[in-house]
Amino acid sequence: MTVEPRHVTPSDATAPMIDPFGRAVTYLRVSVTDRCDFRCTYCMSEHMTFLPKPEILTLEELDQLCSAFIAKGVRKLRLTGGEPLVRRDVMTLIRNLGRHLDTGALDELTLTTNGSQLAKYADDLYAAGIRRINVSLDTLDDKNFARITRWGRLNQVLDGIKAATRAGLKVKINTVALKGENEDEIPSLIEWAHGEGHDLTLIETMPMGDIDGDRTDQYLPLSRVRETLEARWTLSDLPDRTGGPARYVRIKETGGKLGLITPLTHNFCESCNRVRLTCTGQLFMCLGQNDDADLRAALRNDPSGALLNDAIDEAIGRKPKGHDFVIDRDHAKPAVARHMSLTGG
Ligand code: SAM
Ligand code: SF4
């Protein structure tokens, strides 16, 4: 049987997004706000200047953009931030996006959150079709939590995680590995998470945006963490791949799964399936590069959506092969100037 080549016009709203390296873009991460109720030391400076309101996409515009990507083949959508659950009326957006789960256009709608508002929203999230969420938690020590997040309270997050579990949401814990700050606690955090039935993923710090301190002081290579863990437990590599920088292992003694995100290595770029949208409508084709596309202008200037489709196709055509992250003493400046809270990680 011969298959006719599909004719793709530049503004074909359903043309799949294939980048110049043959990678299909099927995963969109959307930062719905740059604001946050915490000030984690590795993510933000204490006195952040946030974006002026008119620059921020409305909830309707965010929905339009997400829906355009879904029409073009995105199967997984992650909402993040800043803290997604502090955006006013965010549940309206989440509920509306849930329609794409009902039609089968989307496989998964999910969320990365600091957990502070989960007690309030867990049931609504489940009702909207969300089944799994990532909750960031770097320590189980009250004082350390207050120090790392600056403005957060540990109990509020733990209550949020309990509420999420009760609501039926599968919770994965994300922990940034921080030299001298939570390094010694990593095994107990893993034991706790696995004991509660949560997988846990460790993340290396990434050089994004100016913070108040020096990132080289915080950087803890996960290769070192893995050695420590291997002295204590039996780790076996799992074949799971998500198209992202995570590698997974099973810990025999706890029975749980551990993810290791090492964004400074390049070994995941060849399978990269994702792009990132900010709350101002900038599309970043790579977390570790500065190149972006202005989808807000395309969206606001042409209600027909044709300009937007062209802008998306053009941007995907510029998706780079890989990132240029480096953290060392010779690179005192962040590799990318924007903060993680703008693109959401
Ligand atoms: N506020 C939500 C949260 O904390 O989960 C969502 C946004 S936050 C930017 C997403 C993830 O990025 C969190 O797990 C956070 O720990 C991580 N993160 C923030 N800045 C980072 C950095 N410079 N390097 C590595 N991970 C970072
Ligand atoms: Fe806020 Fe998340 Fe950044 Fe912490 S990591 S300051 S919770 S956006």
Side-chain angles (χ1 to χ4, degrees):
M1 194 181 82
T2 53
V3 179
E4 289 296 317
R6 193 165 175 281
H7 180 65
V8 176
T9 58
S11 61
D12 183 346
T14 59
M17 296 176 287
I18 310 286
D19 80 0
F21 304 95
R23 297 169 297 190
V25 175
T26 54
Y27 182 8
L28 177 68
R29 298 167 80 114
V30 185
S31 174
V32 299
T33 175
D34 63 328
R35 287 160 201 261
C36 188
D37 52 345
F38 291 3
R39 290 289 181 279
C40 303
T41 53
Y42 50 80
C43 178
M44 295 189 181
S45 69
E46 185 153 21
H47 305 286
M48 287 285 287
T49 310
F50 293 108
L51 294 160
K53 279 263 162 59
E55 294 207 8
I56 309 279
L57 297 174
T58 64
L59 294 176
E60 292 74 21
E61 287 174 326
L62 278 169
D63 188 311
Q64 272 175 284
L65 277 177
C66 292
S67 301
F69 275 94
I70 292 167
K72 293 178 77 61
V74 158
R75 305 288 314 173
K76 176 171 173 179
L77 190 65
R78 178 178 299 279
L79 303 182
T80 171
E83 174 46 41
L85 296 180
V86 300
R87 169 118 194 209
R88 185 187 304 231
D89 272 342
V90 73
M91 273 316 305
T92 306
L93 173 69
I94 297 175
R95 244 179 259 120
N96 287 340
L97 289 173
R99 73 185 182 279
H100 296 296
L101 294 168
D102 297 337
T103 63
L106 199 60
D107 294 330
E108 186 170 32
L109 177 61
T110 183
L111 187 79
T112 299
T113 172
N114 65 21
S116 70
Q117 310 300 312
L118 269 181
K120 184 167 155 198
Y121 287 123
D123 289 324
D124 291 343
L125 293 172
Y126 189 90
I130 293 188
R131 292 294 174 265
R132 301 193 300 172
I133 57 171
N134 289 354
V135 181
S136 304
L137 182 62
D138 303 324
T139 171
L140 288 171
D141 178 271
D142 257 341
K143 287 206 180 74
N144 210 15
F145 187 88
R147 204 181 47 73
I148 293 174
T149 63
R150 289 201 188 100
W151 296 3
R153 283 193 300 112
L154 176 65
N155 271 341
Q156 197 176 341
V157 172
L158 294 179
D159 288 348
I161 293 172
K162 281 191 202 123
T165 308
R166 263 199 312 273
L169 297 167
K170 175 100 181 117
V171 173
K172 194 190 82 182
I173 305 294
N174 277 349
T175 303
V176 178
L178 300 162
K179 187 162 75 185
E181 296 189 48
N182 67 356
E183 192 174 353
D184 296 344
E185 271 192 74
I186 290 175
S188 53
L189 253 169
I190 295 172
E191 258 171 348
W192 166 81
H194 288 177
E196 297 284 315
H198 312 309
D199 291 336
L200 184 144
T201 290
L202 294 170
I203 310 173
E204 270 175 1
T205 50
M206 290 174 244
M208 298 187 68
D210 276 320
I211 52 169
D212 296 330
D214 180 348
R215 287 186 192 281
T216 44
D217 293 340
Q218 293 182 319
Y219 179 59
L220 172 62
L222 289 187
S223 50
R224 193 164 113 190
V225 177
R226 189 175 171 145
E227 277 169 25
T228 314
L229 297 178
E230 275 176 330
R232 166 190 290 252
W233 290 320
T234 322
L235 272 52
S236 49
D237 289 313
L238 294 172
D240 312 30
R241 289 283 162 93
T242 58
R247 293 288 172 270
Y248 294 92
V249 298
R250 173 79 56 200
I251 301 182
K252 188 173 156 209
E253 290 77 2
T254 62
K257 198 160 104 173
L258 174 71
L260 301 157
I261 299 193
T262 51
L264 304 191
T265 61
H266 275 103
N267 55 16
F268 61 91
C269 294
E270 74 279 359
S271 60
C272 182
N273 61 354
R274 58 201 59 193
V275 288
R276 294 170 167 83
L277 185 67
T278 71
C279 56
T280 59
Q282 281 172 290
L283 186 74
F284 285 96
M285 286 69 82
C286 173
L287 182 62
Q289 301 273 5
N290 286 314
D291 189 29
D292 73 315
D294 179 8
L295 300 188
R296 185 183 61 193
L299 178 75
R300 289 186 176 168
N301 291 339
D302 175 17
S304 82
L307 257 186
L308 175 63
N309 279 310
D310 286 350
I312 294 174
D313 288 341
E314 192 274 330
I316 300 300
R318 281 194 276 135
K319 186 167 162 60
K321 196 167 178 197
H323 66 71
D324 288 328
F325 279 135
V326 196
I327 294 188
D328 63 34
R329 300 262 169 213
D330 296 335
H331 294 78
K333 282 263 154 243
V336 290
R338 63 183 187 277
H339 287 91
M340 184 74 103
S341 48
L342 190 64
T343 39

